[in-house]
Amino acid sequence: MDRTEDKVTSEGTALSALMLAAVLIFSAAIVSCHGGEFPMRAYERAYGQMIDGDYKSAAASFRRLSESSPAYPEIWYGWGTCLMETERYAQAVQAFSKAADLYGNSVLYDDKAGLRRDAMTAIGEVYLMQGDLMSAETEFVKCLSERADTDTVIAISATYIRMGYADRVMPFLAGQGLEETAAIVFPFWEEEKELRHGSFN
């Protein structure tokens, strides 16, 4: 594994761990508006399997949780992550889509729009993993149509770069009339250029 791949892997793992840890802490305190308490013990088991890299077992655990507690978007998001890691891409898109819908309709989350954006960005990432740039960019345009803020631009740009498509960042932003955001993503761009030894412009 070269320097770029090692950095991408470590940063992606750390980001996923932080995101899901935050979900775990938050979920411990909430009770579903649909009348059921959050299945903390089962979620912890699935979360632990995922962090340990046992994505197959974690996917099975999250699938069971999605059947018994379908109202919680973090369960669908976790399942989508495991499906993506085990290359079950069509199912991953479905799980992330469900998470996005649930986050969007929930009254339990202060930043439900941001969480919905994260799930939609994850769908784009699944498409990028398959080399399907058109579908990925369609999903990113949806994100921007709902929330064209700095965080969304950074999230989309970082996803491109993480998946090895840094050369698509500027054309995509220009195509959406967001050239002025180039200054925001430029640090990501320059870092990636350095790591890849100037292999793209």
Side-chain angles (χ1 to χ4, degrees):
M1 180 178 292
D2 64 22
R3 183 184 170 196
T4 302
E5 292 174 343
D6 184 62
K7 182 177 185 295
V8 168
T9 301
S10 62
E11 287 185 351
T13 301
L15 182 61
S16 297
L18 287 172
M19 182 184 300
L20 288 169
V23 166
L24 186 67
I25 293 169
F26 173 76
S27 298
I30 66 175
V31 175
S32 171
C33 58
H34 297 281
E37 187 171 333
F38 186 82
M40 178 55 62
R41 186 168 298 177
Y43 183 86
E44 287 179 329
R45 185 181 306 113
Y47 170 79
Q49 290 169 333
M50 183 175 64
I51 293 301
D52 288 342
D54 186 1
Y55 295 111
K56 184 176 180 179
S57 296
S61 297
F62 278 120
R63 178 185 57 77
R64 289 191 292 271
L65 281 168
S66 73
E67 294 170 351
S68 63
S69 303
Y72 289 96
E74 53 266 59
I75 288 172
W76 292 93
Y77 191 94
W79 190 22
T81 300
C82 295
L83 289 167
M84 180 172 64
E85 292 291 344
T86 53
E87 301 182 0
R88 287 179 280 176
Y89 297 126
Q91 289 177 279
V93 167
Q94 293 175 355
F96 284 134
S97 296
K98 182 68 173 180
D101 290 343
L102 289 172
Y103 277 130
N105 294 322
S106 178
V107 297
L108 298 173
Y109 305 89
D110 291 336
D111 186 24
K112 66 179 185 179
L115 291 167
R116 174 174 164 78
R117 176 200 63 223
D118 291 342
M120 293 173 70
T121 303
I123 295 171
E125 183 168 345
V126 173
Y127 287 130
L128 287 180
M129 291 184 78
Q130 301 174 82
D132 187 351
L133 281 169
M134 184 176 294
S135 295
E137 292 185 350
T138 296
E139 203 63 35
F140 294 152
V141 168
K142 289 180 186 177
C143 289
L144 289 169
S145 69
E146 293 189 12
R147 187 169 177 168
D149 60 6
T150 299
D151 287 343
T152 302
V153 170
I154 290 175
I156 291 171
S157 301
T159 301
Y160 271 126
I161 293 169
R162 186 170 62 252
M163 298 307 299
Y165 289 95
D167 57 329
R168 289 297 306 160
V169 174
M170 299 307 183
F172 176 76
L173 295 179
Q176 303 307 309
L178 295 170
E179 293 93 335
E180 72 277 7
T181 62
I184 297 169
V185 301
F186 194 76
F188 291 106
W189 181 263
E190 284 300 297
E191 182 179 5
E192 187 71 5
K193 282 175 69 176
E194 180 181 351
L195 289 173
R196 291 181 181 272
H197 309 288
S199 60
F200 54 80
N201 298 312

